[in-house]
Amino acid sequence: MISNHNKINNIDNNKKCTLHPNKDIVFFCLDCKLIPCCIQCTSSKGEHHGHKTDPLESTSNILSLMNNFKNDIYQKVIERIEINETILQESNDKYNEIQSQFDINNNSLKKEIKKIHDIISIIELDIKKQLETTFENNTLINTIITSSINNDNQILSTIINNNNENENDRTTTIEKLNEIIKFNDQQIYDNGEDFIIDRDTIKIIKQYQQSLIVLNNNNNINNSNKLNEYDNQIIHFHNQIIDDIKNNLKSIYTLDNCRFIIEIDENKNKFFKWDSSKFYVYIEDDSFKFKENEGIAFKDNCNILSKLKNQLPSTVMLLDRFNQKLTPGILPDGVKSLYLGDIKQELMIGSIPNTVTHVSLLDGFNQKLTPGILPDSIKLLYLGDIKQELMIGSIPNTVTLVSLKDGFNQKLTPGILPDGVKSLYLGDIKQELIIGSIPNTVTRVTLKDGFNQKLTPGILPDGVESLRLGDIKQELIIGSIPNTVKEVKVFTSFKHQIEPYVSKNVKIIK
């Protein structure tokens, strides 16, 4: 009788490691869901170095692997394909919209430039270069997402279809799993024999390894996050400025991304609207008289802040590429609201004056927030898709309201949001919440349209008394809403039931 060990040695390439094709699979990693490993996987430079392992011949582990593949991993493979398809569809939709706008931009460009072609030809080339550079970046994003998803789906589809070498064999992976498990369960029960490791069993083990590798690669999260990198520029022409073209050649167009749409007021000053405020774009030698809810925005070419101390309004925005070092005193006392984009100089303690009570860190903000950078005067903090990890102490204890905007992609480990926060607004954040992410001091939570994280019991802490719900994407479950909640306001966009998840004495406002 040929031993199981000899049978394994005679099996084809299905026994080869997916990560190291020249090495045979010889172990199960007990610390990583029984993922099959080769000698190189467990070497000093391998991902599973120092982990507990069992030999491949372990019957109990093979049975556990088969059942885990059937009951858990296989379903996740299917879910990954569905998620990938959704992301791919969103990617193609965005890309098609950008492509359409790209064509509109070019047509508009040609039409307007033709009127003053002899004067504006150099500007025309400059605009086209900017448009094409952004379009090429969008094309690259689309190519990366498409290639990544197609690669994942090719592997996963092969697993689903069992990669049958025999054209007449249409047995799926799940059918083969059931067949192997049923046969070996009966053999072990009837004869007390070891699990029979044949060609099909090794093939399933290989497919299990391939599945875990793909499922653990986080490509779907990376691809979903990459959707936010698309930049749909829109070109606008201002006919009033074209009439004065000789003196305003570079003012006849603006390239706007989705964040700001530049407008021109009656005095030919550029401005945009953001957060219910009107921001004038600073141009040297221009004079502004600011009204309530009006602020000033500085671009990348500004090195003038220190000269404008007594002229700044209480609301200031530093736009992407702003490149002046904010030594203490550059932003004067008197500034109350501060908006920061992707500024290029690091902040230091004292960069933000103690008069500031409201800070908004916009998408792309990429500076470290070491403790003390945000002063204790801040009460309101709004965070977009910032790029540096927050640390305990980044947010001062004086902050009472935190709003995490769509695209916020930082882990909220316990302590990041400090005790003292009482109101919390959550948009379409990208990292899952855990117990302790929200401090016990929070009494009011608003889940805004697009919020897409599971609210397992304990995520919303005891202490929350008021809850507001918009178009959240995940179903509530029993225990999602703590017993301390006294009032739930349901916005018209909320699409789920609320009554089964709150006690009868909770006031529901619709």
Side-chain angles (χ1 to χ4, degrees):
M1 180 178 178
I2 301 175
S3 69
N4 285 339
H5 180 73
N6 290 332
K7 287 181 181 178
I8 291 174
N9 290 334
N10 292 328
I11 292 173
D12 62 9
N13 283 338
N14 274 325
K15 194 183 175 185
K16 297 298 182 182
C17 178
T18 302
L19 296 177
H20 311 106
N22 295 327
K23 304 293 183 182
D24 286 346
I25 296 169
V26 292
F27 301 117
F28 291 116
C29 180
L30 303 183
D31 294 335
C32 300
K33 294 186 178 180
L34 297 177
I35 188 170
C37 303
C38 68
I39 293 177
Q40 192 167 340
C41 290
T42 58
S43 67
S44 59
K45 295 183 179 180
E47 183 178 350
H48 301 279
H49 175 65
H51 291 191
K52 296 178 182 178
T53 60
D54 267 355
L56 191 67
E57 295 86 349
S58 171
T59 298
S60 61
N61 286 332
I62 294 176
L63 278 172
S64 296
L65 178 151
M66 295 290 177
N67 284 310
N68 194 33
F69 199 176
K70 175 184 175 182
N71 299 325
D72 182 24
I73 300 304
Y74 187 83
Q75 183 60 37
K76 289 180 178 177
V77 169
I78 295 174
E79 290 173 358
R80 172 63 73 86
I81 292 176
E82 293 173 350
I83 292 171
N84 284 346
E85 291 298 335
T86 299
I87 295 172
L88 182 59
Q89 184 61 50
E90 290 182 21
S91 172
N92 288 332
D93 288 346
K94 284 196 174 188
Y95 180 72
N96 289 336
E97 181 184 349
I98 288 171
Q99 189 173 38
S100 176
Q101 185 61 55
F102 177 74
D103 294 337
I104 294 171
N105 288 343
N106 276 318
N107 290 335
S108 178
L109 175 64
K110 291 176 183 178
K111 179 180 177 181
E112 298 298 331
I113 292 298
K114 189 176 180 180
K115 299 175 183 177
I116 47 173
H117 182 72
D118 292 339
I119 301 174
I120 206 74
S121 57
I122 295 175
I123 302 297
E124 179 185 10
L125 293 174
D126 182 57
I127 301 171
K128 291 182 73 172
K129 182 178 179 180
Q130 293 180 65
L131 288 172
E132 288 170 356
T133 298
T134 303
F135 184 69
E136 287 169 2
N137 288 337
N138 287 312
T139 302
L140 178 61
I141 293 168
N142 181 261
T143 301
I144 291 171
I145 293 175
T146 301
S147 174
S148 174
I149 289 177
N150 286 342
N151 183 61
D152 268 9
N153 283 355
Q154 182 179 2
I155 296 171
L156 298 175
S157 296
T158 300
I159 293 170
I160 293 295
N161 296 322
N162 202 26
N163 193 23
N164 290 316
E165 300 170 0
N166 185 348
E167 293 182 357
N168 297 323
D169 183 8
R170 299 187 181 277
T171 306
T172 65
T173 298
I174 196 67
E175 289 170 343
K176 182 59 69 177
L177 274 168
N178 287 329
E179 178 183 323
I180 293 173
I181 293 171
K182 181 178 180 180
F183 176 80
N184 282 279
D185 281 346
Q186 190 62 44
Q187 285 291 105
I188 295 170
Y189 179 78
D190 291 344
N191 306 320
E193 296 181 358
D194 289 340
F195 198 105
I196 296 176
I197 305 178
D198 56 10
R199 185 187 188 92
D200 286 335
T201 302
I202 290 299
K203 186 177 180 180
I204 290 295
I205 292 173
K206 175 67 171 288
Q207 290 172 338
Y208 178 82
Q209 183 196 39
Q210 292 171 323
S211 299
L212 282 179
I213 290 171
V214 173
L215 294 173
N216 290 337
N217 65 20
N218 288 329
N219 281 351
N220 61 326
I221 296 175
N222 295 335
N223 289 330
S224 181
N225 292 339
K226 207 162 191 66
L227 294 176
N228 295 323
E229 296 179 20
Y230 276 120
D231 183 7
N232 188 9
Q233 287 186 321
I234 302 172
I235 188 168
H236 294 281
F237 287 93
H238 312 294
N239 291 324
Q240 185 177 354
I241 297 177
I242 293 176
D243 293 338
D244 196 20
I245 190 65
K246 290 184 179 180
N247 298 320
N248 298 285
L249 283 178
K250 291 188 177 182
S251 300
I252 67 168
Y253 76 95
T254 57
L255 287 177
D256 303 322
N257 57 26
C258 295
R259 185 185 295 180
F260 306 123
I261 296 177
I262 303 296
E263 302 178 58
I264 306 293
D265 70 5
E266 64 276 7
N267 297 317
K268 297 185 179 181
N269 294 318
K270 293 182 179 181
F271 72 91
F272 58 87
K273 294 177 181 177
W274 186 256
D275 266 3
S276 301
S277 294
K278 186 176 181 180
F279 288 87
Y280 282 95
V281 180
Y282 176 79
I283 298 175
E284 195 166 0
D285 297 328
D286 278 3
S287 60
F288 303 96
K289 292 183 178 179
F290 297 99
K291 302 176 183 177
E292 189 175 355
N293 293 327
E294 289 184 347
I296 191 167
F298 293 91
K299 299 188 292 186
D300 58 323
N301 60 345
C302 294
N303 194 29
I304 198 71
L305 280 178
S306 56
K307 299 179 182 179
L308 298 174
K309 285 187 176 182
N310 298 323
Q311 303 175 44
L312 292 181
S314 62
T315 300
V316 173
M317 180 181 292
L318 306 182
L319 296 167
D320 294 348
R321 297 187 298 277
F322 180 84
N323 199 26
Q324 181 177 354
K325 196 163 188 176
L326 294 177
T327 52
I330 294 295
L331 285 175
D333 292 341
V335 175
K336 296 180 180 179
S337 294
L338 181 63
Y339 297 75
L340 299 177
D342 183 14
I343 61 176
K344 297 307 177 184
Q345 296 283 344
E346 67 180 5
L347 298 171
M348 63 187 74
I349 294 176
S351 291
I352 301 175
N354 289 324
T355 55
V356 172
T357 58
H358 159 228
V359 169
S360 286
L361 304 181
L362 307 177
D363 292 350
F365 178 81
N366 196 22
Q367 300 299 328
K368 288 184 179 179
L369 288 178
T370 52
I373 297 295
L374 297 179
D376 289 342
S377 58
I378 296 174
K379 306 296 182 185
L380 312 178
L381 180 62
Y382 295 78
L383 301 176
D385 183 16
I386 62 177
K387 302 305 179 183
Q388 295 282 344
E389 283 190 12
L390 297 171
M391 63 187 75
I392 294 176
S394 290
I395 302 174
N397 292 328
T398 54
V399 171
T400 59
L401 182 150
V402 173
S403 179
L404 305 182
K405 302 284 192 175
D406 294 348
F408 178 81
N409 196 23
Q410 302 297 324
K411 290 182 179 179
L412 289 179
T413 52
I416 295 296
L417 295 180
D419 292 340
V421 175
K422 296 180 180 179
S423 295
L424 180 63
Y425 293 76
L426 298 176
D428 183 14
I429 61 176
K430 300 305 180 183
Q431 295 283 345
E432 67 178 2
L433 299 170
I434 60 174
I435 293 175
S437 291
I438 302 175
N440 293 326
T441 54
V442 171
T443 60
R444 182 176 183 177
V445 173
T446 300
L447 305 181
K448 302 169 70 175
D449 291 351
F451 178 79
N452 195 22
Q453 300 298 327
K454 289 183 179 179
L455 287 179
T456 53
I459 296 297
L460 295 180
D462 291 338
V464 175
E465 297 179 354
S466 177
L467 180 63
R468 297 185 174 193
L469 300 175
D471 182 16
I472 63 176
K473 303 304 181 183
Q474 299 276 351
E475 290 273 0
L476 297 172
I477 60 175
I478 301 297
S480 290
I481 301 176
N483 294 327
T484 54
V485 170
K486 299 176 182 178
E487 176 185 281
V488 176
K489 180 175 177 58
V490 176
F491 296 107
T492 55
S493 57
F494 182 74
K495 297 182 177 64
H496 309 286
Q497 287 186 318
I498 186 62
E499 287 78 6
Y501 307 106
V502 296
S503 59
K504 294 181 179 179
N505 60 344
V506 172
K507 182 179 180 182
I508 299 176
I509 304 173
K510 295 185 178 181

